[in-house]
Amino acid sequence: HGVYEIIGETVDDAAGEAFDKSAKLMGLGYPGGPKISTFAKKGNPLRFDLPRPMLNHATLDFSFSGLKTAVLYTFEKQRTKNKQLIYDMAASLQRAVIDCLIGKTEQAIKKYHPKIIMLGGGVAANELLRKEFVKLAASFHVKSSIPKFEYCTDNAAMVGLAGYYRIKNKKAKYETKISAKPNLELK
């Protein structure tokens, strides 16, 4: 614990935010990830040609705000708002997000040749993402590690655990006065 190298990060919205915000605009409520996943099972992921932001960029960074905006405009253009539209939009969104996550993970594997890859955060609960992640790892003969569903929670828990180890190993000062710093680096 305590040795990290950032090789890619989101430049705006994360995958979970894209799910949450898109689900909200489709009237599915919050949190959006589980609802998108459930509705996507009944939908056609090819109905809407949504963008795969930054997928072909040289960096390993992500961007999902443009995808969220594409969902908004595509959804608003539809004259008939019925269940099938929601199913197809959810499936198309889920496919686009997973294509980006798996595509960037594949790029990272090719560049860094890891022995193991790990999936984490709330989006790690997505069934299709889990399947695609395992399939990707197997195709490169790399081990994969995915937490049980009950441990696929918000990234705040992971950041809290990292902070715990930093304090435990005396690499960080314990402060009683806390202020929110949303873009603080994990060092």
Side-chain angles (χ1 to χ4, degrees):
H1 293 282
V3 180
Y4 309 99
E5 178 185 351
I6 297 172
I7 61 171
E9 58 190 330
T10 184
V11 297
D12 46 45
D13 288 352
E17 289 176 282
F19 282 146
D20 290 341
K21 291 174 182 177
S22 296
K24 183 178 178 183
L25 74 90
M26 288 188 272
L28 301 179
Y30 180 87
K35 291 175 180 146
I36 293 292
S37 181
T38 299
F39 277 70
K41 290 176 184 175
K42 296 180 181 179
N44 175 3
L46 303 176
R47 179 169 173 193
F48 299 107
D49 185 23
L50 297 174
R52 273 64 173 164
M54 297 185 72
L55 184 57
N56 296 315
H57 285 208
T59 71
L60 295 173
D61 291 337
F62 296 91
S63 170
F64 291 105
S65 69
L67 176 57
K68 175 194 68 188
T69 302
V71 169
L72 170 67
Y73 291 143
T74 303
F75 190 74
E76 285 181 347
K77 282 184 198 174
Q78 306 307 307
R79 293 181 186 188
T80 306
K81 307 268 193 302
N82 58 26
K83 283 279 192 203
Q84 193 58 52
L85 170 69
I86 306 275
Y87 296 150
D88 293 346
M89 184 61 71
S92 297
L93 169 63
Q94 178 178 256
R95 184 76 260 170
V97 168
I98 290 173
D99 285 352
C100 292
L101 295 174
I102 294 298
K104 289 295 183 171
T105 303
E106 181 176 348
Q107 290 174 19
I109 291 170
K110 288 176 180 177
K111 184 173 181 178
Y112 292 97
H113 311 286
K115 294 178 183 174
I116 186 169
I117 57 174
M118 299 171 66
L119 186 61
V123 174
N126 182 285
E127 291 177 48
L128 184 58
L129 176 59
R130 294 166 79 90
K131 289 176 187 173
E132 294 290 332
F133 192 80
V134 169
K135 190 166 48 172
L136 174 68
S139 74
F140 282 93
H141 308 288
V142 172
K143 289 183 181 180
S144 62
S145 177
I146 303 174
K148 293 179 182 179
F149 282 107
E150 59 264 31
Y151 300 119
C152 295
T153 60
D154 188 275
N155 294 336
M158 291 184 282
V159 172
L161 184 61
Y164 165 79
Y165 281 110
R166 302 241 347 129
I167 291 169
K168 182 179 176 191
N169 296 327
K170 297 183 173 55
K171 291 183 178 179
K173 294 178 184 177
Y174 180 80
E175 295 184 29
T176 56
K177 186 176 179 182
I178 298 173
S179 60
K181 296 178 184 173
N183 294 320
L184 191 63
E185 288 188 17
L186 186 62
K187 293 182 181 181

